[in-house]
């Protein structure tokens, strides 16, 4: 497949980001969210929050890969 001779997104304007920091959860909100989650999903949700990994990246992880990273 040949490369496009032009950039199809050249006229696209990205939204302006002016906030210096975004707070998604404060501690109380996280505690409530964690309590509402089924026990099965709590570790995955906490890992996602701490690592800021995307859902597909978290789902693709193997337990042994996480254990190797912790051991290093």
């Amino acid at each position: 497949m040949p490369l496009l001779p032009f950039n199809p997104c050249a006229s696209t304007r990205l939204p302006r980001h002016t906030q210096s920091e975004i707070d998604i959860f404060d501690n109380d909100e996280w505690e409530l969210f964690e309590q509402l989650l089924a026990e099965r999903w709590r570790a995955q949700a906490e890992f996602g929050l701490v690592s800021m990994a995307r859902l597909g990246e978290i789902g693709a992880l193997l337990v042994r890969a996480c254990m190797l990273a912790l051991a290093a």
Side-chain angles (χ1 to χ4, degrees):
M1 175 180 258
L3 296 177
L4 293 175
F6 62 95
N7 181 353
C9 298
S11 62
T12 302
R13 296 194 57 134
L14 296 176
R16 184 163 264 230
H17 179 70
T18 57
Q19 291 179 326
S20 60
E21 186 175 320
I22 298 173
D23 290 328
I24 297 174
F25 289 115
D26 64 22
N27 288 339
D28 293 333
E29 290 171 328
W30 172 254
E31 293 297 325
L32 175 62
F33 179 73
E34 192 174 34
Q35 289 172 7
L36 295 173
L37 276 175
E39 180 70 30
R40 171 185 179 162
W41 301 111
R42 288 182 186 164
Q44 186 174 358
E46 188 169 348
F47 178 79
L49 179 69
V50 172
S51 69
M52 296 182 62
R54 295 178 295 236
L55 191 57
E57 295 168 331
I58 296 167
L61 281 175
L62 300 174
V63 172
R64 68 174 178 244
C66 297
M67 299 309 268
L68 289 173
L70 289 174

